[in-house]
Structures are given as C-alpha cells and as structure tokens.
Amino acid sequence: MSDQQKRISELVQKRADAALGGGQKRIDAQHSKGKLTARERIALLLDEGSFEEYDMFMRHRCTNFGMEKTSFDGDGVVTGQGTIEGRLVYVFAQDFTVSGGSLSETQAAKICKVMDMAVRNGAPCIGLNDSGGARIQEGVCALAGYGEIFQRNILASGVIPQISGIFGPCAGGAVYSPALTDFTIMVKDISYMFLTGPAVVKSVTGETVTQEELGGAQVHSSKSGVAHFKADSEQEAISTIRRLISFLPSSNRESAPTLDCADPAGRVDDSLNDIIPDNPNKSYDMYKVIGSIVDNGEFLEVHRGWARNIIVGFARMNGRSVGIVANQPSVLAGVLDINASRKAGRFVRFCDAFNIPLVTLVDVPGFLCGTQQEYGGIITNGAKLLYAYGEATVPKVTVTLRKSYGGAHIVMSCKQLRGDINYAWPTANIAVMGADGAVEILYGKDLKEIVDPAERSAAFQAKKDEYNDLFCNPYNAAAYGYIDDVIEPRNTRFRVCRALESLADKKVSAPSRKHDNLPL
Ligand code: HXC
C-alpha cells in the first residue's frame, strides 16, 4: 500500500471512529431510551446524500477534572450544511453520547461557525438540541460559549429563519438559545425544557415535580407556549421541520418559494354561504373556513395547542406562502386574551420579517376583561398584537366574517393599521360593541324605569333593532371606506388570491430609527 493509500485509509478509519461519538455503548443507551442519535436525526432531516460535515475532528481542550481522558472527535455536536427539497440549510445536532451533549467552548465554536455561514449565505439555521446545558467542567468558558451563541441568535433574528428541534432533556443555556429562535418543536415523552431539572427545583423551592410536569412537550405546547409544535415522535418532528421550511424564504432577502398550484384560484365554495349560524351567540369552526380557502386545504398550524381562541399558521394561496391569523369562535368565542395576543403578535412579526403576506380572518367579540387579565397585563400584551399589525408592511388582506367589535376590531388588521384590502362578508358586524351591551349602557337606566316586564323587553328589543340596523352590518363601515368591499362568502378564496396577486410588489418605506420599542 502506498503512503498516500495508507493516509486515505487512515482518514476513512478516523471518520468512522468520529461518527461513533461517545462510542457504541452510549449509542445503544440512546437507542434504548427510544431516541435517535445526532447523525440519525441529520440523515432524516436533510435530502439524501446532501450533508456536508464540518469540524468532525475538533476536540475540547479542557484538562479540569481529568477531562483530557474523555475527549472525543467532534466534541458532542455534529455540524454542517445540506439541503431540504434542494434548498440550502445549515444544521447542528448535539450528540448526547458525548458528555450528555453539554456545551463546551469547542462545541460553541462549531455551532457559531455554522450560524455565521448561515447568515452570510442567507440560509436557515436548524438546531437539533439534546444537551445538559453548559459543560460543568469548563466553567465560565462554557458559559461564554452560550453567550457567543445567544449573540448570534439575536443578530440572525429576522435575517434567516432559525428553527430549534428539542430532542432530549434540555436545561440551562440549552433552552435559552431555542427561546431566541423563531420556532421550537418538541417531542412527546422525549423532550424536556427547563431552566434546571426537578432535583434542583426541589432543593431551591421545595417543590416536588416530575420532568414531564416541569417542562414536557405537553406543558410547553399547551400551557407556556414555549413550544410552537408538538410531535409524537422524532420522525414526525423532523418532517414538521422540513414542512415548515417549505413555507419560508431562505432569508429576509427573498420571498418564500412559489409552488405550482393545481387548486384553481377561482374555486368557489358554496358551503361558506351557510357557515355562519343565525344566532350570533352560536359558534362555528374557523378551521373549516381556512381549509376551504387555502390551496388544497393544506394548513401548517403553529401553536396548535396553546391559546386556541386564535389560530395562526402557514398555508399557500395560488402557490404563494401566506400567514393565516384567524379568531376561533368555537374556543372562548374567539375572544382576544393575553395568550392569544402574544401568540398572534409573534406570528405576525415573523411573517413581516420574512416577507410572508398576512391573511386575517376576523370574528372577534373583543378583548377579555376582568381582574385576571388586567393583573396579567392584557393592556401591554394586547398592545403587542396591535403593534405587530401596525408595524407590518407585508401585504395584508383582511376578511371580517362576523363580529368585529371595539379595540379588537382595530387590532385585527383594520384599515387604519394599514390593512391593504379589507373585505367583509354580509354577516359582518363592525361596531364598538354588540347590541346587548350597547343598549344596556345607553338605555339601561331608562329601561329599568319601565315597570311592566313585557313592555320593558319590547322596548329593549326595539332599541336593539335600531342599533343593529345602524351598526351591526358591514355597510356602515363600507360607507366610510373602512371596508373595501362586501363579498359573498363562497368567493372568498378567489377574492383573497386576486388581492394578494395585486399586492405582490407592494413597497412601503418607514422613517429611519435605531430600532422600535414594541411593548415587550
Ligand atoms: C457535563 C454533563 C452535563 C453537564 C450531563 N452530563 N449534563 N456533563 N456538563 N451540564 C453528562 C453526565 O455526567 C453523563 O456523563 C452524561 O452527560 C449523561 O447524563 P446523565 O445524567 O447520565 O443522563 P440523564 O439521566 O438522561 O439526565 C440528563 C440531564 C442531567 C437531565 C440533562 O444530566 C442533568 O440534569 N444535567 C445537568 C443539567 C443542568 O442543570 N444544566 C444547567 C447547566 S447551567 P457520562 O460520562 O456518565 O456519560 C447552564 C447555564 C447557561 O446551562 C446560561 C444560560 C443563560
């Protein structure tokens, strides 16, 4: 064998050794927990054969606590680039078989390198996290590594899409970096996110809590809103990431890819002409409206399990990516509360940052009132959504289906917040409030003075009819030009597609400033 051939076989052997991470025993342990390895995850995520790995042979330089004896090629993270449906992405996957995927100075340098490349080359960065946080033996050097990553997360925010898959028990810094990214995906029974685990919680606060209760996928996808997606398996989580990428541009310099659309933009749906119940207090399912108007009924919902009174997610209309924001009348009557405002506000800002037009479907009785909401800061939190819509310069098409009352009417992409095209169905009621509340406030005292109950009820009804005739329709708003057109529900897809077509080259400039000061 020539020297060159020897060196080539040595390379092949070194690569094979490095690919084993912390060794076969630890890989088996990972599998026995029902978990995939970092490399298996990358193989599922990227198009076959597209992965190009960097820094496979990097090692840590720590000698504290005998660490020189536990040094592995790659140092607990696999990094590189590849493609998803032929489009470039950068990826890092932490390898739990090496020191529990904990973050060393070296690991941080590897992650930062792919983050920098992603920003420079205008491609999404996807992190597959499985890590016990800062590597304890490296002390402040590990913390500094997190600082470097966080700073890059912040600078990349709004420049390239950043997506975090959570594939293990992530603690400390391992949860703050995902929190700075755009989307977080967790897996049932496999992912946990917490500042620190149950043992430390017990010693600090005395609280006894399981990993699942503290930071499982269910908790973060339904109670805290930390996770945007929950999957039943790692495979499902990874296919969700691939699907999500398909709706997004590679960076803020581009538009999202437009796909050929077999679903005709002019398709009408007669069932929408019958969807609004006669009784205004009855609900219907907004998912039916979304499914009817978007291409092939395909909708990737974000935050499906959290703040379900508002629906947000990605779809396509005539092949173009859109962000859908829709009140859900069948959950809490579609009211806007703190969580709904936070959920939709963040989504609107993401879409605006990445040139994704917004389609807003409105049926909202107002903001939720009461001490619980006031003490939680509904004023500041509601203002987040208001701010997000007012700030957004992407094409904004709004359809008011039924109720659009008070502050919630303004917030939900009204004309004055630079809504580009605002349609209403004939069933729309656009007013300061519903008829019952309005009559009570305006005439309550007078009505109380009518002694005969039948006479009082008739007088109440007469005032309600007067109010409804004046305000509870779309024509009053249309008379002021606040609604551009009243449309037949069956034509909604066609009208929205045409509106988006006309707005494709929209340009808006803003006054210069260092940055905004949104109500955090
Ligand atoms: C070094 C670590 C480590 C860490 C785990 N390991 N976490 N090594 N630094 N942070 C090692 C273990 O020693 C073990 O090594 C291997 O990884 C697997 O860990 P196990 O504990 O055996 O696994 P498991 O039972 O599955 O528990 C996983 C875990 C637990 C829940 C993540 O290890 C844990 O609680 N780790 C500490 C989590 C934490 O509090 N991190 C916060 C760090 S502070 P061997 O050699 O046996 O395979 C931080 C601050 C950042 O991150 C600043 C942010 C603002």
Side-chain angles (χ1 to χ4, degrees), residues 30 33 35-36 38 41 75-78 92-105 107-108 111 127-136 142 145-146 149-150 165-178 190-197 211:
Q30 179 89 343
K33 289 183 208 155
K35 291 169 67 181
L36 299 174
R41 289 168 183 152
D75 201 27
V77 69
V78 182
F92 66 88
Q94 287 170 315
D95 179 355
F96 197 81
T97 69
V98 177
S99 294
S102 57
L103 188 108
S104 64
E105 187 188 17
Q107 190 183 115
I111 293 173
L128 308 179
N129 298 269
D130 190 357
S131 166
R135 190 169 297 166
I136 296 162
Y146 268 127
I149 293 172
F150 298 161
I166 308 294
F167 292 96
C170 291
V175 296
Y176 268 111
S177 175
I190 280 185
S191 310
Y192 303 98
M193 294 177 80
F194 27 67
L195 295 186
T196 191
Q211 287 206 108

Side-chain angles (χ1 to χ4, degrees), residues 224-286:
S224 70
V226 165
H228 299 81
F229 299 95
K230 185 184 96 171
D232 284 337
S233 64
E234 293 197 37
Q235 286 79 357
E236 187 190 325
I238 288 169
S239 79
T240 301
I241 297 175
R242 286 181 62 95
R243 201 168 154 222
L244 177 58
I245 287 284
S246 78
F247 287 100
L248 311 183
S250 295
S251 76
N252 67 345
R253 305 197 294 250
E254 299 175 12
S255 298
T258 302
L259 303 192
D260 289 339
C261 177
D263 191 359
R267 172 174 57 75
V268 297
D269 182 351
D270 291 333
S271 75
L272 292 184
N273 278 6
D274 286 314
I275 199 164
I276 303 289
D278 287 342
N279 180 345
N281 297 324
K282 275 209 158 155
S283 70
Y284 58 95
D285 190 355
M286 189 59 91

